[in-house]
Every structure is written in C-alpha cells, then in structure tokens.
Amino acid sequence: MRPPTSLAGAHADSIDAVVAFLSIVQVIVCVALVVLVLLHSGKGGGVSDIFGGAATQAGAGSTVVESNLNKITLIVALVFTFNTLILGLIWT
C-alpha cells in the first residue's frame, strides 16, 4: 500500500479537529441540560425552590419564568440531540 498523501492527512486532521470541538460542545451541553432539568419544579418543588421558593410561585411572573425555562431546556435538548447524531455519523 502507498502511504497517505498530505491531502489525506490534512483531511484527517480537520476531521479530528471537528470531532474534538463537537466533543467539547457535547460535554458543555450535557452539563447545561442536567442543570436546566434540575431547575424545573416538580410535583413537590425542586431545586428551583432554592432560588425563590414560595415567594416566586405566589407572584404572577412565575409562569413566565417557568415558560422561559421550558423553552431554554427544549433548545438545549435539541442541540444535545443533533450534536449526538452528528458525532455518531462522523465516527461511523
């Protein structure tokens, strides 16, 4: 077999750089997703009670905060999903 040409080596290096970047993004998005899910209030409250407790639930703005938290969590979950799919396609 012939040794790979410099063009093939450059292509492999760029793929490695993309995989490294996407892996770093995956770790950051994963941690962000865990934090966002923990911030949601469940049936008996949640970690979100630490930051406001009953005072924020009694206020009229609590539904806006929960709605925004839901939207942000959905966006981060979609980024996590697509990043996982892209990493899976690159590695195969």
Side-chain angles (χ1 to χ4, degrees):
M1 287 188 85
R2 294 184 339 196
T5 62
S6 62
L7 182 60
H11 180 68
D13 289 341
S14 65
I15 294 285
D16 290 341
V18 169
V19 169
F21 174 74
L22 289 176
S23 296
I24 291 169
V25 169
Q26 185 76 354
V27 170
I28 292 170
V29 169
C30 180
V31 170
L33 190 59
V34 167
V35 169
L36 287 170
V37 168
L38 287 176
L39 283 174
H40 280 84
S41 59
K43 293 179 183 176
V47 179
S48 62
D49 286 342
I50 294 172
F51 300 110
T56 57
Q57 290 178 356
S62 67
T63 57
V64 174
V65 172
E66 287 292 326
S67 175
N68 288 337
L69 187 61
N70 288 339
K71 290 176 187 176
I72 293 170
T73 304
L74 178 65
I75 291 169
V76 172
L78 288 174
V79 170
F80 177 81
T81 302
F82 287 123
N83 197 27
T84 302
L85 290 174
I86 291 169
L87 279 170
L89 289 174
I90 289 176
W91 280 350
T92 57

Coordinates of all heavy atoms in Angstrom, one line a residue:
M1 N 0.8 -1.2 0.0 CA 0.0 0.0 0.0 C 0.9 1.2 0.0 O 1.9 1.3 0.6 CB -0.9 0.0 1.2 CG -2.0 -0.9 1.2 SD -3.1 -0.7 2.6 CE -4.2 0.6 1.9
R2 N 0.4 2.3 -0.6 CA 1.1 3.5 -0.6 C 0.8 4.3 0.7 O -0.3 4.2 1.2 CB 0.6 4.4 -1.8 CG 1.0 3.8 -3.1 CD 0.6 4.6 -4.3 NE -0.4 5.6 -4.0 CZ -1.1 6.3 -4.9 NH1 -0.9 6.1 -6.1 NH2 -2.0 7.2 -4.5
P3 N 1.7 5.1 1.1 CA 1.4 5.9 2.3 C 0.4 7.0 1.9 O 0.3 7.4 0.8 CB 2.8 6.5 2.7 CG 3.6 6.4 1.5 CD 3.1 5.2 0.7
P4 N -0.3 7.5 2.9 CA -1.3 8.5 2.6 C -0.7 9.8 2.1 O 0.4 10.1 2.5 CB -2.1 8.7 3.9 CG -1.2 8.2 4.9 CD -0.3 7.1 4.3
T5 N -1.3 10.5 1.2 CA -0.8 11.7 0.7 C -1.0 12.8 1.7 O -1.7 12.6 2.7 CB -1.5 12.2 -0.6 OG1 -2.8 12.3 -0.3 CG2 -1.3 11.1 -1.7
S6 N -0.4 13.9 1.5 CA -0.5 15.0 2.5 C -2.0 15.6 2.5 O -2.4 16.0 3.5 CB 0.4 16.2 2.2 OG 0.2 16.7 0.9
L7 N -2.7 15.5 1.4 CA -4.0 15.9 1.4 C -4.9 15.0 2.2 O -5.8 15.5 3.0 CB -4.6 15.9 -0.1 CG -6.0 16.4 -0.3 CD1 -6.1 17.8 0.2 CD2 -6.4 16.3 -1.7
A8 N -4.7 13.8 2.2 CA -5.5 12.9 3.1 C -5.1 13.1 4.5 O -6.0 13.0 5.4 CB -5.2 11.4 2.7
G9 N -3.9 13.4 4.8 CA -3.5 13.7 6.2 C -4.1 14.9 6.7 O -4.6 15.0 7.8
A10 N -4.2 15.9 5.8 CA -4.8 17.2 6.2 C -6.3 17.0 6.4 O -6.9 17.6 7.4 CB -4.6 18.3 5.2
H11 N -6.9 16.2 5.6 CA -8.4 15.9 5.8 C -8.6 15.2 7.1 O -9.6 15.5 7.8 CB -8.9 15.1 4.6 CG -10.3 14.7 4.7 ND1 -11.3 15.7 4.6 CD2 -11.0 13.6 4.9 CE1 -12.5 15.1 4.7 NE2 -12.3 13.8 4.9
A12 N -7.8 14.2 7.5 CA -8.0 13.5 8.7 C -7.7 14.4 9.9 O -8.4 14.3 10.9 CB -7.0 12.3 8.8
D13 N -6.8 15.4 9.8 CA -6.6 16.3 10.9 C -7.8 17.3 11.1 O -8.1 17.6 12.2 CB -5.3 17.2 10.6 CG -4.0 16.4 10.7 OD1 -4.1 15.3 11.4 OD2 -3.0 16.8 10.2
S14 N -8.4 17.7 10.0 CA -9.6 18.5 10.1 C -10.8 17.8 10.7 O -11.5 18.3 11.5 CB -9.9 19.1 8.7 OG -10.4 18.1 7.8
I15 N -10.9 16.5 10.3 CA -12.0 15.7 10.9 C -11.7 15.5 12.4 O -12.6 15.6 13.2 CB -12.0 14.3 10.3 CG1 -12.5 14.4 8.8 CG2 -13.0 13.4 11.0 CD1 -13.9 14.7 8.6
D16 N -10.5 15.3 12.8 CA -10.1 15.2 14.2 C -10.4 16.5 15.0 O -10.9 16.4 16.1 CB -8.7 14.8 14.4 CG -8.4 13.4 14.0 OD1 -9.3 12.6 13.9 OD2 -7.2 13.0 13.7
A17 N -10.2 17.6 14.4 CA -10.4 18.9 15.0 C -11.9 19.1 15.2 O -12.4 19.6 16.2 CB -9.8 20.0 14.2
V18 N -12.7 18.7 14.2 CA -14.2 18.8 14.3 C -14.7 17.9 15.4 O -15.6 18.3 16.2 CB -14.8 18.5 12.9 CG1 -16.3 18.4 13.0 CG2 -14.5 19.6 11.9
V19 N -14.2 16.7 15.4 CA -14.7 15.8 16.5 C -14.3 16.3 17.8 O -15.1 16.2 18.8 CB -14.1 14.4 16.2 CG1 -14.3 13.4 17.4 CG2 -14.7 13.7 15.0
A20 N -13.1 16.8 18.0 CA -12.7 17.4 19.3 C -13.6 18.6 19.7 O -14.0 18.6 20.8 CB -11.2 17.8 19.2
F21 N -13.9 19.4 18.7 CA -14.8 20.6 19.0 C -16.2 20.1 19.4 O -16.7 20.6 20.4 CB -14.8 21.5 17.8 CG -15.8 22.6 18.0 CD1 -15.5 23.7 18.8 CD2 -17.0 22.6 17.3 CE1 -16.4 24.7 19.0 CE2 -17.9 23.6 17.5 CZ -17.6 24.7 18.3
L22 N -16.7 19.2 18.6 CA -18.1 18.7 18.9 C -18.1 18.0 20.2 O -19.1 18.0 20.9 CB -18.6 17.8 17.8 CG -18.9 18.6 16.5 CD1 -19.3 17.6 15.4 CD2 -20.0 19.6 16.7
S23 N -17.0 17.3 20.6 CA -17.0 16.6 21.9 C -17.0 17.6 23.1 O -17.7 17.3 24.1 CB -15.8 15.7 22.0 OG -15.8 14.7 21.0
I24 N -16.3 18.7 22.9 CA -16.3 19.7 24.0 C -17.6 20.3 24.1 O -18.2 20.5 25.2 CB -15.2 20.7 23.7 CG1 -13.8 20.1 23.8 CG2 -15.3 21.9 24.6 CD1 -12.7 21.0 23.3
V25 N -18.3 20.6 22.9 CA -19.6 21.2 22.9 C -20.6 20.2 23.6 O -21.5 20.6 24.4 CB -20.1 21.5 21.5 CG1 -21.5 21.8 21.4 CG2 -19.2 22.7 20.9
Q26 N -20.4 18.9 23.3 CA -21.3 17.9 23.9 C -21.2 17.8 25.4 O -22.2 17.8 26.1 CB -20.9 16.5 23.3 CG -21.8 15.4 23.7 CD -23.1 15.4 23.0 OE1 -23.5 16.3 22.2 NE2 -23.9 14.4 23.2
V27 N -20.0 18.0 25.9 CA -19.9 17.9 27.4 C -20.5 19.2 28.0 O -21.2 19.1 29.0 CB -18.4 17.8 27.8 CG1 -18.2 18.1 29.3 CG2 -17.8 16.5 27.4
I28 N -20.3 20.3 27.4 CA -20.9 21.6 27.9 C -22.4 21.5 27.9 O -23.1 21.9 28.8 CB -20.3 22.8 27.1 CG1 -18.8 23.0 27.4 CG2 -21.1 24.1 27.5 CD1 -18.1 24.0 26.5
V29 N -22.9 21.1 26.7 CA -24.4 21.0 26.6 C -25.0 20.0 27.5 O -26.1 20.2 28.1 CB -24.8 20.7 25.1 CG1 -26.2 20.3 24.9 CG2 -24.4 21.9 24.2
C30 N -24.3 18.9 27.8 CA -24.7 17.8 28.7 C -24.9 18.4 30.1 O -25.9 18.2 30.8 CB -23.8 16.6 28.6 SG -24.3 15.3 29.7
V31 N -23.9 19.1 30.6 CA -23.9 19.7 31.9 C -25.0 20.7 32.0 O -25.7 20.8 33.0 CB -22.5 20.3 32.3 CG1 -22.6 21.1 33.5 CG2 -21.5 19.2 32.4
A32 N -25.1 21.6 30.9 CA -26.2 22.6 30.9 C -27.6 21.9 31.0 O -28.5 22.4 31.7 CB -26.1 23.4 29.7
L33 N -27.7 20.8 30.3 CA -29.0 20.1 30.3 C -29.4 19.6 31.6 O -30.5 19.7 32.1 CB -29.0 19.0 29.2 CG -30.4 18.4 28.9 CD1 -31.4 19.4 28.4 CD2 -30.2 17.3 27.8
V34 N -28.4 19.0 32.3 CA -28.6 18.5 33.6 C -29.0 19.6 34.6 O -30.0 19.4 35.4 CB -27.4 17.7 34.2 CG1 -27.5 17.4 35.6 CG2 -27.1 16.4 33.4
V35 N -28.3 20.7 34.5 CA -28.7 21.8 35.4 C -30.1 22.4 35.1 O -30.8 22.6 36.0 CB -27.6 22.9 35.3 CG1 -28.0 24.2 35.9 CG2 -26.3 22.5 35.8
L36 N -30.4 22.5 33.8 CA -31.7 23.0 33.5 C -32.8 22.1 33.9 O -33.9 22.5 34.4 CB -31.8 23.3 32.0 CG -31.0 24.5 31.5 CD1 -31.0 24.5 29.9 CD2 -31.6 25.8 32.0
V37 N -32.6 20.8 33.8 CA -33.7 19.8 34.2 C -33.8 19.9 35.7 O -35.0 19.8 36.3 CB -33.3 18.4 33.7 CG1 -34.2 17.4 34.4 CG2 -33.5 18.3 32.2
L38 N -32.7 20.0 36.5 CA -32.8 20.1 37.9 C -33.5 21.4 38.4 O -34.1 21.5 39.5 CB -31.4 20.0 38.5 CG -30.8 18.6 38.5 CD1 -29.4 18.7 39.1 CD2 -31.7 17.6 39.3
L39 N -33.4 22.5 37.6 CA -34.1 23.7 37.9 C -35.6 23.7 37.8 O -36.3 24.5 38.4 CB -33.5 24.9 37.1 CG -32.2 25.4 37.4 CD1 -31.7 26.4 36.4 CD2 -32.2 26.0 38.8
H40 N -36.1 22.7 37.0 CA -37.6 22.6 36.9 C -38.2 22.2 38.2 O -37.6 21.4 39.0 CB -38.0 21.6 35.8 CG -37.9 22.2 34.5 ND1 -36.7 22.2 33.8 CD2 -38.8 22.7 33.6 CE1 -36.9 22.7 32.6 NE2 -38.2 23.0 32.5
S41 N -39.4 22.8 38.5 CA -40.1 22.4 39.7 C -40.9 21.2 39.4 O -41.7 21.2 38.4 CB -40.9 23.5 40.3 OG -41.8 23.9 39.3
G42 N -40.9 20.2 40.2 CA -41.7 19.0 40.1 C -43.0 19.1 40.9 O -43.5 20.2 41.2
K43 N -43.5 18.0 41.2 CA -44.8 18.0 42.0 C -44.6 18.6 43.4 O -45.5 19.3 43.8 CB -45.3 16.5 42.2 CG -45.7 15.9 40.9 CD -46.2 14.5 41.1 CE -46.5 13.8 39.8 NZ -46.9 12.4 40.0
G44 N -43.5 18.3 44.0 CA -43.3 18.8 45.3 C -42.2 19.9 45.4 O -41.5 20.1 46.3
G45 N -42.0 20.6 44.3 CA -41.0 21.6 44.2 C -39.8 21.0 43.6 O -39.9 20.0 42.9
G46 N -38.7 21.6 43.7 CA -37.4 21.1 43.1 C -36.3 22.0 43.5 O -36.4 22.8 44.5
V47 N -35.2 21.9 42.8 CA -34.1 22.7 43.0 C -34.4 24.2 42.8 O -33.9 25.1 43.3 CB -32.9 22.2 42.2 CG1 -31.7 23.1 42.4 CG2 -32.5 20.8 42.5
S48 N -35.4 24.4 41.9 CA -35.8 25.8 41.6 C -36.4 26.5 42.9 O -36.4 27.7 42.9 CB -36.9 25.8 40.5 OG -38.0 25.1 40.9
D49 N -36.8 25.7 43.9 CA -37.3 26.4 45.1 C -36.2 27.0 45.9 O -36.4 27.9 46.7 CB -38.0 25.3 46.0 CG -39.4 24.9 45.5 OD1 -39.9 25.7 44.6 OD2 -39.9 23.9 45.9
I50 N -35.0 26.6 45.7 CA -33.8 27.2 46.4 C -33.7 28.6 46.0 O -33.3 29.5 46.8 CB -32.6 26.4 46.0 CG1 -32.6 25.0 46.6 CG2 -31.3 27.1 46.5 CD1 -31.5 24.1 46.2
F51 N -34.0 28.9 44.7 CA -33.7 30.3 44.2 C -34.9 31.2 44.4 O -34.8 32.3 44.0 CB -33.3 30.2 42.7 CG -32.1 29.4 42.5 CD1 -32.1 28.2 41.9 CD2 -30.9 29.9 42.9 CE1 -31.0 27.4 41.7 CE2 -29.7 29.2 42.7 CZ -29.8 27.9 42.1
G52 N -36.0 30.7 44.9 CA -37.2 31.6 45.0 C -38.2 31.1 46.0 O -38.8 31.9 46.7
G53 N -38.3 29.8 46.1 CA -39.3 29.3 47.0 C -40.7 29.7 46.7 O -41.1 29.9 45.6
A54 N -41.5 29.8 47.8 CA -42.9 30.1 47.6 C -43.1 31.5 47.2 O -44.2 31.9 46.6 CB -43.6 29.9 48.9
A55 N -42.2 32.4 47.4 CA -42.4 33.8 47.0 C -42.5 34.0 45.5 O -43.3 34.7 45.0 CB -41.2 34.6 47.5
T56 N -41.7 33.2 44.7 CA -41.8 33.3 43.3 C -43.0 32.6 42.7 O -43.5 32.9 41.7 CB -40.5 32.8 42.6 OG1 -40.3 31.4 43.0 CG2 -39.3 33.6 42.9
Q57 N -43.4 31.5 43.4 CA -44.6 30.8 43.0 C -45.9 31.6 43.2 O -46.8 31.5 42.5 CB -44.7 29.5 43.7 CG -43.6 28.5 43.3 CD -43.7 27.2 44.0 OE1 -44.5 27.0 44.9 NE2 -42.9 26.2 43.6
A58 N -45.9 32.5 44.2 CA -47.0 33.3 44.5 C -47.1 34.4 43.6 O -48.2 35.0 43.3 CB -47.0 33.8 46.0
G59 N -46.0 34.9 43.0 CA -46.0 36.0 42.1 C -46.6 35.7 40.8 O -46.6 34.5 40.4
A60 N -47.0 36.7 40.0 CA -47.6 36.5 38.7 C -46.5 36.2 37.7 O -46.8 35.6 36.7 CB -48.4 37.7 38.3
G61 N -45.3 36.5 37.9 CA -44.2 36.3 37.0 C -43.7 34.9 37.0 O -42.8 34.5 36.2
S62 N -44.1 34.0 37.9 CA -43.5 32.7 38.0 C -43.8 31.8 36.8 O -43.1 31.0 36.3 CB -44.0 32.0 39.2 OG -45.3 31.7 39.2
T63 N -45.0 32.1 36.2 CA -45.4 31.3 35.0 C -44.5 31.7 33.8 O -44.2 30.9 32.9 CB -46.8 31.5 34.6 OG1 -47.1 32.9 34.4 CG2 -47.7 30.9 35.7
V64 N -44.1 33.0 33.7 CA -43.2 33.4 32.7 C -41.8 32.8 32.8 O -41.2 32.4 31.9 CB -43.1 35.0 32.7 CG1 -42.1 35.5 31.7 CG2 -44.5 35.6 32.4
V65 N -41.4 32.7 34.1 CA -40.0 32.1 34.3 C -40.1 30.6 34.0 O -39.1 30.1 33.3 CB -39.7 32.3 35.8 CG1 -38.4 31.5 36.2 CG2 -39.5 33.8 36.1
E66 N -41.1 29.9 34.3 CA -41.2 28.5 34.0 C -41.3 28.3 32.5 O -40.7 27.4 31.9 CB -42.4 27.9 34.7 CG -42.3 27.7 36.2 CD -41.2 26.6 36.5 OE1 -41.1 25.6 35.7 OE2 -40.5 26.8 37.5
S67 N -42.1 29.2 31.8 CA -42.2 29.1 30.4 C -40.9 29.3 29.7 O -40.5 28.6 28.8 CB -43.2 30.1 29.9 OG -43.3 30.1 28.5
N68 N -40.1 30.3 30.1 CA -38.8 30.6 29.6 C -37.8 29.4 29.9 O -37.0 29.0 29.0 CB -38.2 31.9 30.1 CG -39.0 33.1 29.5 OD1 -39.6 33.0 28.4 ND2 -38.9 34.2 30.2
L69 N -37.9 28.9 31.1 CA -37.1 27.7 31.4 C -37.4 26.5 30.6 O -36.5 25.8 30.1 CB -37.3 27.4 32.9 CG -36.3 26.3 33.5 CD1 -34.9 26.8 33.4 CD2 -36.7 26.1 34.9
N70 N -38.7 26.3 30.3 CA -39.1 25.2 29.4 C -38.5 25.4 28.0 O -38.0 24.4 27.4 CB -40.6 25.1 29.3 CG -41.2 24.6 30.6 OD1 -40.5 23.9 31.4 ND2 -42.5 24.8 30.8
K71 N -38.6 26.6 27.5 CA -38.1 26.9 26.1 C -36.6 26.7 26.0 O -36.1 26.1 25.1 CB -38.4 28.3 25.7 CG -39.9 28.5 25.4 CD -40.2 29.9 25.1 CE -41.7 30.1 25.0 NZ -42.1 31.6 24.8
I72 N -35.9 27.2 27.0 CA -34.4 27.1 27.0 C -34.0 25.6 27.1 O -33.1 25.1 26.4 CB -33.8 27.9 28.2 CG1 -34.0 29.4 27.9 CG2 -32.3 27.6 28.4 CD1 -33.7 30.3 29.1
T73 N -34.7 24.9 28.0 CA -34.4 23.4 28.1 C -34.7 22.7 26.8 O -33.9 21.8 26.4 CB -35.3 22.8 29.3 OG1 -35.0 23.6 30.5 CG2 -34.9 21.4 29.5
L74 N -35.7 23.0 26.1 CA -36.0 22.4 24.9 C -35.0 22.7 23.8 O -34.5 21.8 23.1 CB -37.4 22.9 24.3 CG -37.8 22.3 23.0 CD1 -38.0 20.8 23.1 CD2 -39.1 23.0 22.5
I75 N -34.5 23.9 23.8 CA -33.5 24.3 22.8 C -32.2 23.5 23.1 O -31.5 23.0 22.2 CB -33.3 25.8 22.8 CG1 -34.5 26.5 22.2 CG2 -32.0 26.2 22.0 CD1 -34.5 28.0 22.4
V76 N -31.8 23.5 24.4 CA -30.5 22.8 24.8 C -30.7 21.3 24.5 O -29.7 20.6 24.1 CB -30.2 23.1 26.3 CG1 -29.0 22.2 26.7 CG2 -29.9 24.6 26.4
A77 N -31.9 20.7 24.7 CA -32.1 19.3 24.4 C -32.0 19.0 22.9 O -31.4 18.0 22.5 CB -33.4 18.9 25.0
L78 N -32.5 19.9 22.1 CA -32.3 19.8 20.7 C -30.9 19.9 20.2 O -30.4 19.1 19.4 CB -33.2 20.8 19.9 CG -34.7 20.6 20.0 CD1 -35.5 21.7 19.4 CD2 -35.1 19.2 19.3
V79 N -30.2 20.8 20.8 CA -28.7 20.9 20.5 C -28.0 19.6 20.9 O -27.2 19.1 20.1 CB -28.1 22.2 21.2 CG1 -26.6 22.2 21.0 CG2 -28.7 23.4 20.6
F80 N -28.3 19.1 22.0 CA -27.7 17.9 22.5 C -28.0 16.7 21.6 O -27.2 15.9 21.2 CB -28.2 17.5 23.9 CG -27.7 16.2 24.5 CD1 -26.5 16.2 25.1 CD2 -28.5 15.1 24.4 CE1 -26.0 15.0 25.6 CE2 -28.0 13.9 25.0 CZ -26.8 13.8 25.5
T81 N -29.3 16.6 21.1 CA -29.7 15.5 20.2 C -29.0 15.6 18.9 O -28.4 14.6 18.4 CB -31.2 15.6 20.0 OG1 -31.9 15.5 21.3 CG2 -31.7 14.5 19.1
F82 N -29.0 16.8 18.3 CA -28.4 16.9 17.0 C -26.8 16.8 17.0 O -26.2 16.2 16.1 CB -28.7 18.3 16.3 CG -30.1 18.3 15.8 CD1 -31.0 19.3 16.3 CD2 -30.6 17.3 14.9 CE1 -32.3 19.3 15.8 CE2 -31.9 17.4 14.5 CZ -32.8 18.3 14.9
N83 N -26.2 17.3 18.1 CA -24.8 17.1 18.3 C -24.4 15.6 18.5 O -23.4 15.1 17.9 CB -24.3 17.9 19.5 CG -22.8 18.1 19.5 OD1 -22.2 18.1 18.5 ND2 -22.3 18.3 20.7
T84 N -25.3 14.9 19.2 CA -25.1 13.4 19.3 C -25.2 12.7 18.0 O -24.3 11.9 17.6 CB -26.1 12.8 20.3 OG1 -26.0 13.5 21.6 CG2 -25.9 11.3 20.5
L85 N -26.2 13.1 17.2 CA -26.3 12.5 15.9 C -25.2 12.8 15.0 O -24.7 11.9 14.2 CB -27.6 12.9 15.2 CG -28.9 12.4 15.9 CD1 -30.1 13.1 15.2 CD2 -29.0 10.9 15.7
I86 N -24.7 14.0 15.0 CA -23.6 14.4 14.1 C -22.3 13.7 14.5 O -21.6 13.2 13.7 CB -23.4 15.9 14.2 CG1 -24.5 16.7 13.5 CG2 -22.0 16.3 13.5 CD1 -24.6 18.1 13.7
L87 N -22.1 13.6 15.8 CA -20.9 12.8 16.3 C -21.0 11.4 15.9 O -20.0 10.7 15.5 CB -20.7 13.0 17.8 CG -20.1 14.2 18.3 CD1 -20.2 14.3 19.8 CD2 -18.6 14.3 17.9
G88 N -22.2 10.8 16.0 CA -22.4 9.4 15.6 C -22.1 9.2 14.1 O -21.6 8.2 13.7
L89 N -22.6 10.1 13.3 CA -22.4 10.0 11.9 C -20.9 10.2 11.5 O -20.4 9.5 10.6 CB -23.2 11.0 11.1 CG -24.7 10.7 11.1 CD1 -25.5 11.9 10.5 CD2 -25.0 9.4 10.4
I90 N -20.2 11.0 12.2 CA -18.8 11.3 11.9 C -17.9 10.0 12.2 O -17.0 9.6 11.5 CB -18.2 12.5 12.6 CG1 -18.8 13.8 11.9 CG2 -16.7 12.6 12.5 CD1 -18.5 15.1 12.6
W91 N -18.3 9.4 13.4 CA -17.5 8.3 13.8 C -17.7 7.0 13.1 O -17.0 6.1 13.2 CB -17.7 8.0 15.3 CG -17.0 9.0 16.2 CD1 -16.0 9.8 15.8 CD2 -17.1 9.2 17.6 NE1 -15.5 10.5 16.9 CE2 -16.2 10.1 18.0 CE3 -18.0 8.6 18.5 CZ2 -16.1 10.6 19.3 CZ3 -17.9 9.0 19.8 CH2 -16.9 10.0 20.2
T92 N -18.8 6.9 12.3 CA -19.1 5.7 11.6 C -18.5 5.7 10.2 O -18.1 6.6 9.6 CB -20.6 5.4 11.5 OG1 -21.2 6.5 10.8 CG2 -21.2 5.1 12.8

